[in-house]
Amino acid sequence: MSQPDAAAMRVDLAFVPGFSASLAGWEATLVAGGRGSLRCHWIGLSGPEERSRARHDFPLTPPLFERLCRVLEGLPAELGASTIDDAPVRRIRCRAGDRIIERRRSVAKKGVTPSEAEFDRVWFELFALVRPALLDLGMKEALLAQAR
């Protein structure tokens, strides 16, 4: 099987608020080679706010993409199952050609299994790539802290 080109290597990263949360959430699509897009939403002083923007400065390289995909692929499939509780969720989906790997984790869970800790390491690495761009869009640090 041939290696997909960098433009076909995508990571969808999302922090999805729980049903009764502050509705502060965001989604990012990173394409290996630097392109991508962001969308964030929250409840501000004047009501709901939403902002989005294309970006061309995400430092996601094909080798980094492949390394993160290998880690996610090695995690148990139950980390890809939908969560039913009302807690915020961290979601990572890697796509390359026909290959899709999706894992998610509820933020409210107190105990952390080794698989969840590995997921968190991947999450924090990807979150570090998008955090400055989310701040540029106007999302407050206090809202971003919920995703950590």
Side-chain angles (χ1 to χ4, degrees):
M1 180 177 204
S2 65
Q3 176 79 11
D5 67 51
M9 298 176 175
R10 298 176 181 268
V11 174
D12 298 319
L13 189 67
F15 179 73
V16 182
F19 299 118
S20 62
S22 65
L23 301 179
W26 52 266
E27 299 149 13
T29 298
L30 293 80
V31 180
R35 295 181 306 110
S37 62
L38 292 166
R39 183 176 79 86
C40 57
H41 46 89
W42 66 90
I43 304 297
L45 295 175
S46 59
E49 295 191 37
E50 181 172 313
R51 297 186 184 153
S52 60
R53 183 177 302 153
R55 299 289 295 218
H56 301 283
D57 59 353
F58 290 122
L60 180 68
T61 62
L64 176 59
F65 174 87
E66 286 297 331
R67 180 177 61 80
L68 295 175
C69 284
R70 280 192 303 275
V71 172
L72 290 175
E73 213 164 27
L75 296 177
E78 55 266 13
L79 280 175
S82 295
T83 58
I84 298 174
D85 61 11
D86 185 30
V89 173
R90 296 174 181 155
R91 187 189 79 217
I92 304 170
R93 179 185 303 130
C94 293
R95 299 177 286 157
D98 294 345
R99 185 173 101 184
I100 298 175
I101 305 158
E102 183 169 349
R103 300 294 184 262
R104 61 184 78 210
R105 177 166 131 58
S106 172
V107 175
K109 189 171 179 202
K110 299 298 180 204
V112 178
T113 67
S115 295
E116 290 168 335
E118 193 64 26
F119 173 92
D120 289 347
R121 281 190 279 284
V122 173
W123 172 265
F124 291 128
E125 191 166 350
L126 289 167
F127 179 67
L129 299 180
V130 300
R131 185 182 166 280
L134 289 165
L135 288 169
D136 285 349
L137 274 180
M139 203 161 196
K140 304 289 184 237
E141 180 63 44
L143 297 175
L144 286 175
Q146 296 174 15
R148 277 185 251 146

